[in-house]
Amino acid sequence: MTKRIMVVEDNDLNRKLFCDVLRANGFEVEPVADGDKVLQTARATSPDLIIMDIQLGGISGVDLIEAAKRDRGLAAIPVLAVTAFAAKGDEERIRAAGAEGYLSKPVSIGPFMAAVKALV
């Protein structure tokens, strides 16, 4: 059965790139540009993995990860956090929120797909 991955990314080019790469590797994708729709979309689509941008307009990806992990219906879905702002301590903070994986942008295709495959 094909695995479904929800891609939460407010940057159109990054979202398209992630989705194209995932589709080319045989995954179904559920793109989400609006942070306010993340939890609702995850409940509706039951993805096998959530790829979460941390810097979203108006809402923190860290807050969304924490909210998903508190939700009984979403808590078991692994989260791969992707961020352009990789400061000292960020990875620990993001993993403490519940993310099982972490990548800093710019993301290369090889490490990106390795991280995805490790979580699905």
Side-chain angles (χ1 to χ4, degrees), residues 9-112:
E9 171 64 70
D10 59 351
N11 178 289
D12 293 341
L13 289 175
N14 287 342
R15 189 176 57 257
K16 182 177 179 348
L17 173 65
F18 291 157
C19 289
D20 288 351
V21 167
L22 291 166
R23 283 187 189 107
N25 281 272
F27 294 100
E28 282 184 30
V29 296
E30 185 68 40
V32 179
D34 184 347
D36 292 330
K37 295 183 178 166
V38 169
L39 299 176
Q40 173 186 345
T41 303
R43 287 183 198 109
T45 62
S46 299
D48 297 292
L49 173 66
I50 298 172
I51 296 174
M52 178 75 69
D53 183 21
I54 296 302
Q55 300 294 323
L56 296 165
I59 191 163
S60 162
V62 173
D63 291 344
L64 289 170
I65 293 168
E66 289 173 340
K69 294 303 178 178
R70 284 191 306 267
D71 185 306
R72 278 193 289 165
L74 304 177
I77 301 170
V79 176
L80 173 59
V82 183
T83 183
F85 300 99
K88 186 170 172 54
D90 278 356
E91 181 173 359
E92 292 78 12
R93 181 175 59 88
I94 291 165
R95 285 186 182 273
E100 287 81 0
Y102 174 90
L103 290 172
S104 59
K105 295 176 187 173
V107 176
S108 297
I109 302 304
F112 174 74

